[in-house]
Amino acid sequence: MRDLIIEKMYEWSKKPYQKFFKKNEPWNITPKELILLPNDSLGFHMGCFLLKYNFEMQPKLEDHDVIHVLTNTGVSVIEEIGMQYYLLGNGKKSAYLFMVIFVGTLFYPNRLKTFYNYYKRGQKAHQFYHLAFEKMLYKSLREIQFTFNIR
């Protein structure tokens, strides 16, 4: 039931967040085009991620999916909250991030150790959340992870 509430909150908040807070341009590429990129590239792995979960590219929110791929984070509610903790540890600060962390911690106090581990992983990585990922789609996923110490 908690997962369902969190998922509904995400659905309700996604459109206003895209419209009012995300100022970047949507990427002009599809998951099927991404998987045509070199097999070791970030773009290829992002395309595989999107197809594996049957996700569509969310305009202006593409970076979120890239971070899933870079950090090897799944898509369960706990993992989504954990990814926000990871980003907080990596230095990101946004109203949306703090809202997810607040609600996630409130709904899942028994997962604080898990969330703390995500936070610590984010601290160990070099700051990367702000990168222009669309320009990095041809780069090797492993090389990016190594360069930024992303685990």
Side-chain angles (χ1 to χ4, degrees):
M1 183 61 167
R2 293 180 291 185
D3 287 2
L4 184 60
I5 292 169
I6 298 267
E7 288 171 9
K8 286 296 177 197
M9 289 174 72
Y10 169 73
E11 288 301 320
W12 294 332
S13 65
K14 180 175 61 174
K15 292 292 184 199
Y17 180 67
Q18 281 173 296
K19 184 174 182 174
F20 297 114
F21 293 99
K22 298 301 279 184
K23 302 300 179 198
N24 55 305
E25 290 295 317
W27 295 8
N28 190 24
I29 194 164
T30 68
K32 289 183 179 172
E33 292 171 317
L34 288 170
I35 62 168
L36 297 176
L37 297 178
N39 288 358
D40 68 335
S41 70
L42 173 63
F44 174 81
H45 286 276
M46 184 174 167
C48 290
F49 170 84
L50 293 167
L51 293 172
K52 174 182 178 181
Y53 291 107
N54 200 26
F55 288 166
E56 293 181 26
M57 301 266 288
Q58 299 296 311
K60 300 183 179 184
L61 302 177
E62 297 90 351
D63 287 358
H64 180 87
D65 294 325
V66 169
I67 292 170
H68 273 285
V69 171
L70 287 171
T71 62
N72 196 30
T73 302
V75 298
S76 72
V77 170
I78 297 298
E79 290 167 313
E80 289 282 356
I81 296 164
M83 194 169 82
Q84 296 306 314
Y85 269 91
Y86 187 109
L87 290 169
L88 179 66
N90 197 244
K92 184 174 181 177
K93 293 171 178 60
S94 72
Y96 198 81
L97 176 140
F98 287 119
M99 181 196 70
V100 170
I101 286 176
F102 174 75
V103 172
T105 304
L106 187 66
F107 277 48
Y108 297 96
N110 60 322
R111 295 301 190 114
L112 278 175
K113 185 176 181 183
T114 300
F115 297 149
Y116 181 70
N117 289 336
Y118 275 99
Y119 176 80
K120 293 303 283 182
R121 282 177 52 210
Q123 282 186 313
K124 289 177 184 174
H126 304 297
Q127 204 170 74
F128 70 91
Y129 67 86
H130 61 286
L131 297 172
F133 296 117
E134 185 178 17
K135 295 177 182 175
M136 301 172 71
L137 293 175
Y138 285 89
K139 298 232 181 257
S140 163
L141 171 65
R142 301 288 173 237
E143 186 178 312
I144 297 166
Q145 290 170 322
F146 178 80
T147 300
F148 290 93
N149 197 35
I150 300 170
R151 310 248 183 268

